[in-house]
Amino acid sequence: MNTGRNIFAQLVENLPIRRFHTLTMRYKGDYKNRKFSCHDHLLAMVFAQLASCDSLRDIEAGLSANPPKLYHLGIRCRIRRSTLADADERRDARIFEEFGKLLIAEARCLYAEDIFFPELNAVVYAFDSTTVSLCLELFPWAAFRRRKAAIKLHTLIDLRGNIPSFVLLSPGKMHDVKSLDHLPIDPGAFYLMDRGYLDYQRLYRIHQAAAFFITRLKDNSRFHVVESFAADKSAGILCDQAIRLSGAKSASAYPERLRRVKYRDPETNIVYEFLTNNFTLPARI
């Protein structure tokens, strides 16, 4: 007979539960709610994340598979999807938002000494978005297309540990580039983005904040070469150049020099054109 603690309970004991209870009291999360506490709500969501549950029905089915074991998970009652739905709607979301930020801050401290690139003594972020599909009948406020509802989840990932450090929810119709207006800029950090975020005025704000960006150049971009640097053709670097934008609007939006690196992937033979405001790093690191 197994007398040890189950894995889920061992994982949960690492959470700063006292801090969570402080947030619960601050926002009155358990006010007039004795059966399904904020603590039970938290454990249900942790279970849903670990079990990759896709819906409230999925969470209910997973937690109901072996009811006698719920107590050993730390959950004091059987959880129905209606109970979860009511709690998600009525409970103050700031309880879980601030607790999530607290966990992110602790996780970033744990990975602070990790080296992502030996050549880079800086924080490296990746910024991208994903579209979350919703039911149009249930979420008419999130109209995306004629018969579809959706929201966008814009996430900034700290690549030291793959930890999300910033998350923005937006309507599905909002263009990705507009999320740069809300992006927190860390001086000296590197921001990796695809060419969907190529907006020179917004990129210039990153440059003025003493941070660096690396994105991809669009095929219709207009520029002229100011200076050419030595390119290691054996490493796939086709060219390494300093350029200035020549389009009327783009030159006004970004008046300083940019660096263009053209690279051929030896495995796929695809050519990529990268654009950055950093001139000190080697073309390939």
Side-chain angles (χ1 to χ4, degrees):
M1 179 178 178
N2 181 16
T3 58
R5 303 180 64 190
N6 57 55
I7 296 176
F8 182 84
Q10 294 178 49
L11 290 173
V12 170
E13 72 177 1
N14 294 303
L15 298 177
I17 295 299
R18 289 188 178 181
R19 302 284 294 276
F20 181 76
H21 290 328
T22 300
L23 293 172
T24 301
M25 291 186 289
R26 180 185 303 169
Y27 296 110
K28 300 180 180 180
D30 288 335
Y31 181 68
K32 292 184 179 181
N33 194 338
R34 297 180 179 178
K35 292 184 178 180
F36 187 59
S37 66
C38 280
H39 184 262
D40 293 334
H41 196 174
L42 174 67
L43 296 182
M45 292 195 296
V46 171
F47 173 84
Q49 181 67 28
L50 295 176
S52 301
C53 297
D54 296 327
S55 63
L56 297 181
R57 187 185 298 273
D58 201 3
I59 299 173
E60 179 188 30
L63 291 174
S64 301
N66 198 344
K69 297 294 184 181
L70 290 180
Y71 177 82
H72 300 285
L73 298 182
I75 300 175
R76 299 176 300 173
C77 62
R78 295 192 64 177
I79 298 176
R80 306 295 184 184
R81 60 181 182 275
S82 58
T83 305
L84 279 170
D86 290 341
D88 288 341
E89 182 178 2
R90 299 173 184 175
R91 191 158 273 155
D92 197 325
R94 290 175 295 180
I95 300 171
F96 304 99
E97 178 186 359
E98 294 191 15
F99 188 63
K101 290 178 180 179
L102 189 152
L103 293 178
I104 289 172
E106 289 191 0
R108 294 189 69 183
C109 290
L110 294 175
Y111 287 93
E113 302 300 325
D114 284 14
I115 300 176
F116 181 67
F117 282 123
E119 299 86 350
L120 274 180
N121 187 20
V123 180
V124 183
Y125 296 106
F127 189 52
D128 206 351
S129 69
T130 184
T131 301
V132 181
S133 298
L134 300 173
C135 176
L136 185 58
E137 293 184 2
L138 296 177
F139 305 95
W141 51 267
F144 179 50
R145 291 175 184 162
R146 184 177 179 182
R147 299 180 179 179
K148 183 179 180 181
I151 58 172
K152 277 189 177 179
L153 182 67
H154 309 267
T155 308
L156 184 69
I157 299 290
D158 186 345
L159 296 182
R160 289 187 301 187
N162 293 327
I163 302 168
S165 58
F166 171 76
V167 175
L168 173 68
L169 291 173
S170 72
K173 292 182 178 180
M174 191 181 90
H175 196 283
D176 287 350
V177 76
K178 292 184 178 180
S179 62
L180 292 177
D181 296 334
H182 307 276
L183 187 68
I185 305 301
D186 185 5
F190 285 78
Y191 292 83
L192 312 182
M193 301 171 283
D194 62 27
R195 55 186 172 188
Y197 296 91
L198 188 61
D199 181 280
Y200 294 112
Q201 186 174 8
R202 291 178 170 91
L203 292 179
Y204 192 54
R205 293 178 193 166
I206 298 177
H207 177 73
Q208 289 180 311
F212 303 102
F213 59 84
I214 301 175
T215 184
R216 290 175 58 193
L217 195 64
K218 291 184 178 179
D219 297 334
N220 60 352
S221 299
R222 296 173 58 189
F223 60 89
H224 62 271
V225 179
V226 177
E227 184 180 357
S228 293
F229 308 110
D232 186 0
K233 299 293 181 64
S234 63
I237 307 299
L238 302 181
C239 68
D240 186 1
Q241 303 167 335
I243 65 171
R244 283 190 181 274
L245 301 173
S246 56
K249 291 184 178 180
S250 58
S252 175
Y254 202 106
E256 298 190 28
R257 298 195 312 168
L258 285 162
R259 185 180 181 186
R260 170 178 174 255
V261 176
K262 198 170 183 179
Y263 170 75
R264 184 190 300 276
D265 188 342
E267 295 183 0
T268 62
N269 208 33
I270 298 176
V271 176
Y272 299 94
E273 288 186 80
F274 296 100
L275 190 70
T276 181
N277 62 332
N278 184 280
F279 287 86
T280 58
L281 290 177
R284 181 171 180 175
I285 57 176

